[in-house]
Amino acid sequence: MSETQPQLDRQQQPEPVGLALVGHGVVGGGVAKILTEQADLLRARTGLAFDLRHIVVRDVSKQRPFAGVPVTTNWRMAVEDPRVHVVIELVGGTTVARQVVEHALSLGKPVVTANKSLLAAHGPELFALARKHDTCIAFEASCGGGIPIIDALSRGLVANRIDALVGIVNGTCNVILTRMTKNGWSYADALKEAQKLGFAEADPTLDVSGRDAAQKLAVLAGLAFNVCVREADIHVEGIDTLQKTDIALAGELGYVIKLLAIAERAAGDKVALRVHPTLVHQDDVLAEVSGSFNAISVYGNAVGHTLFYGRGAGSMPTASAVVADLIGVALGTTPLQFKQLRVYPDSTQPANVLPVDDLQSRYYLRVTAKDAPGVMAQVTRILGDKSISLAAINQREANEGEMVPIVITTHLAKEGAMRQALKEIDALPNIQPATVCLRIVDQPKEFAGG
Ligand SMILES: NC(=O)c1ccc[n+]([C@@H]2O[C@H](COP(=O)([O-])OP(=O)(O)OC[C@H]3O[C@@H](n4cnc5c(N)ncnc54)[C@H](OP(=O)(O)O)[C@@H]3O)[C@@H](O)[C@H]2O)c1
């Protein structure tokens, strides 16, 4: 905060920190509620008082529960008000939100944001702008909702070399997958229910395509590995093509399917980055994470395995993270940290990303084959030729000539080899394309810290 901004005085009434809240929707509404209803608690715990000076929205005619705070559509006026010391951006997206953030930073005003899309797309430029104007960006709410994972990675675990980060970071997908697993529902039915309950948007594409998780992984992996990660660096597959048959078959093998965001340290200073539906063993803690909850496993070389669990979205959990950021900014700890730490994307090198073909996993394959002599042998020969060794193979009984699923699990193999093998398998005369291929991730063996 600049010299003109209020100084913390613990003895007397603190001079209030003036705020512009740009966006008063799900998260902005929660922030206004905490600031209003918990003002005394916040003051008692931190010595700070906040003064919400403007609420900026798109539609001023909507009913808002907070009287006394001017509501406007004019974000520029709100940001420029000299009585506003911190700007909270909770609009979302990368157009107006970007303008708001750039304008606030160029005036030297700190920004608190929950906007992972904006950070994944324009993080390096925005952080550089903040540095140029001697201010900062706080973004705890951008990943994991109320889970303090940004603080953990940038401060609490700073003594560690992080070896891997594996997370369930999209609540919508986890709600859908939980319903598919527990109720045996199809993807379409589970999505419909998630939409009805408010866990999925009318247009769920950003979530179910895996992009939302990839944007969060870009932010998290950057902090974990001291590199600059762009969304395009991440191999992404969503849950929208997942079939209930595979959830059931995985269950028979002792696995639960989760959408995982995975960042791992790889040989030669490389980082492996991916988001995809993943078979997680039922004994793994991540298998237990249900519904809208998020969980992020972080493996540090000193601390070993840590797990961060909580509500990954929603009005009040996300607002909890936004208000924590406000306090960090107002206390001066966040600006200091921003100045000192070399973990933000404007002060780190672009990630040296492991090529997709070199990604390693175990695999689950569901090959649909005609029950004819020699088919199984042809499939296993193709896999063997690519040095992909089988862990298990299972074929249901069927009448000769019928199509049957053959379920195969493999030991660790490279993605490139598997893709080549799948091409050849799907080209076999007695095989019905396209073979279903999912990855199996075993924790903690694969990711055990040093
Ligand atoms: N929802 C969650 O659980 C959650 C969790 C973590 C992070 N986030 C992030 O938090 C941010 C906000 O999400 P949200 O769910 O709160 O969104 P939301 O409910 O859609 O609210 C968006 C707010 O921005 C306002 N707005 C939209 N366009 C505007 C414009 N051009 N000018 C001024 N105001 C405008 C809207 O005004 P009106 O009220 O007039 O429509 C609304 O108040 C996003 O970056 C999101 O990714 C959300």
Side-chain angles (χ1 to χ4, degrees):
M1 296 172 76
S2 77
E3 283 168 17
T4 57
Q5 288 165 3
Q7 294 298 305
L8 180 61
D9 181 350
R10 288 178 178 278
Q11 313 299 319
Q12 300 300 319
Q13 284 288 85
E15 194 184 332
V17 180
L19 306 174
L21 178 61
V22 187
H24 187 261
V26 174
V27 182
V31 170
K33 192 169 156 72
I34 292 180
L35 291 174
T36 313
E37 293 179 1
Q38 299 198 169
D40 290 346
L41 176 88
L42 295 178
R43 188 181 299 208
R45 295 189 81 173
T46 66
L48 293 168
F50 294 99
D51 189 358
L52 198 46
R53 293 197 159 124
H54 303 277
I55 290 178
V56 184
V57 296
R58 189 172 30 195
D59 177 2
V60 285
S61 70
K62 269 190 201 167
Q63 278 283 59
R64 315 269 168 188
F66 298 98
V69 182
V71 178
T72 177
T73 56
N74 189 343
W75 62 262
R76 200 174 285 276
M77 176 277 295
V79 168
E80 289 175 359
D81 181 344
R83 298 168 313 136
V84 165
H85 308 112
V86 184
V87 173
I88 310 167
E89 182 280 305
L90 295 170
V91 171
T94 56
T95 51
V96 175
R98 184 180 178 187
Q99 292 168 8
V100 169
V101 171
E102 284 180 349
H103 197 53
L105 295 175
S106 64
L107 295 173
K109 298 192 181 189
V111 168
V112 173
T113 181
N115 194 335
K116 65 263 161 188
S117 307
L118 185 63
L119 296 180
H122 303 294
E125 303 83 72
L126 294 175
F127 283 93
L129 188 64
R131 214 171 290 286
K132 180 175 165 200
H133 294 280
D134 198 20
T135 186
C136 66
I137 304 175
F139 52 101
E140 182 62 72
S142 64
C143 301
I147 304 170
I149 185 66
I150 301 292
D151 189 48
L153 287 173
S154 48
R155 208 178 49 80
L157 297 174
V158 73
N160 288 263
R161 180 196 73 225
I162 304 296
D163 291 322
L165 180 149
V166 183
I168 294 171
V169 293
N170 184 277
T172 303
C173 290
N174 210 42
V175 165
I176 294 171
L177 293 176
T178 302
R179 284 286 183 276
M180 290 177 77
T181 306
K182 297 203 166 151
N183 302 8
W185 289 358
S186 68
Y187 167 77
D189 288 344
L191 170 63
K192 223 180 282 162
E193 153 108 345
Q195 286 170 321
K196 203 170 83 192
L197 297 176
F199 288 116
E201 305 273 343
D203 177 1
T205 313
L206 188 65
D207 291 312
V208 300
S209 66
R211 272 199 69 196
D212 173 86
Q215 291 172 349
K216 289 169 181 163
L217 187 65
V219 175
L220 295 173
L223 290 177
F225 296 106
N226 284 21
V227 289
C228 176
V229 179
R230 301 274 187 172
E231 188 186 340
D233 291 330
I234 300 170
H235 173 72
V236 187
E237 291 172 29
I239 63 162
D240 41 350
T241 55
L242 213 53
Q243 297 173 47
K244 63 180 183 182
T245 314
D246 296 299
I247 293 195
L249 289 170
E252 288 176 20
L253 297 171
Y255 293 95
V256 178
I257 299 185
K258 295 288 182 189
L259 183 76
L260 292 192
I262 304 173
E264 300 160 77
R265 190 176 290 282
D269 256 355
K270 289 198 165 55
V271 187
L273 298 163
R274 52 198 167 130
V275 170
H276 51 58
T278 312
L279 275 72
V280 177
H281 196 271
Q282 62 196 11
D283 293 338
D284 190 306
V285 282
L286 293 181
E288 296 291 324
V289 178
S290 294
S292 63
F293 277 87
N294 280 192
I296 301 148
S297 269
V298 183
Y299 296 85
N301 71 323
V303 73
H305 180 202
T306 56
L307 179 71
F308 300 84
Y309 172 84
R311 292 192 185 277
S315 179
M316 296 304 277
T318 313
S320 155
V322 171
V323 176
D325 268 350
L326 277 179
I327 290 164
V329 168
L331 288 177
T333 52
T334 304
L336 194 63
Q337 196 169 299
F338 186 74
K339 219 175 255 177
Q340 284 291 126
L341 298 184
R342 296 285 170 269
V343 298
Y344 304 103
D346 67 310
S347 52
T348 52
Q349 293 298 311
N352 185 1
V353 181
L354 190 74
V356 174
D357 281 353
D358 292 340
L359 288 172
Q360 285 207 69
S361 308
R362 293 177 58 216
Y363 289 87
Y364 158 101
L365 304 178
R366 175 163 60 85
V367 184
T368 306
K370 192 178 264 183
D371 189 21
V375 177
M376 184 98 91
Q378 286 173 314
V379 170
T380 54
R381 185 188 46 74
I382 290 172
L383 292 168
D385 285 351
K386 305 283 175 295
S387 305
I388 299 169
S389 74
L390 307 190
I393 185 158
N394 181 295
Q395 181 184 339
R396 298 282 163 94
E397 265 190 26
N399 297 321
E400 199 169 327
E402 264 181 15
M403 300 302 279
V404 286
I406 302 172
V407 175
I408 297 170
T409 56
T410 76
H411 292 295
L412 273 183
K414 285 202 173 171
E415 186 77 18
M418 181 54 81
R419 287 181 180 198
Q420 193 52 46
L422 288 174
K423 245 188 234 163
E424 292 179 26
I425 290 170
D426 282 346
L428 289 172
N430 287 318
I431 297 293
Q432 176 185 302
T435 293
V436 173
C437 173
L438 298 167
R439 287 90 181 167
I440 304 172
V441 166
D442 300 308
Q443 294 188 80
K445 270 179 286 166
E446 269 189 43
F447 297 121

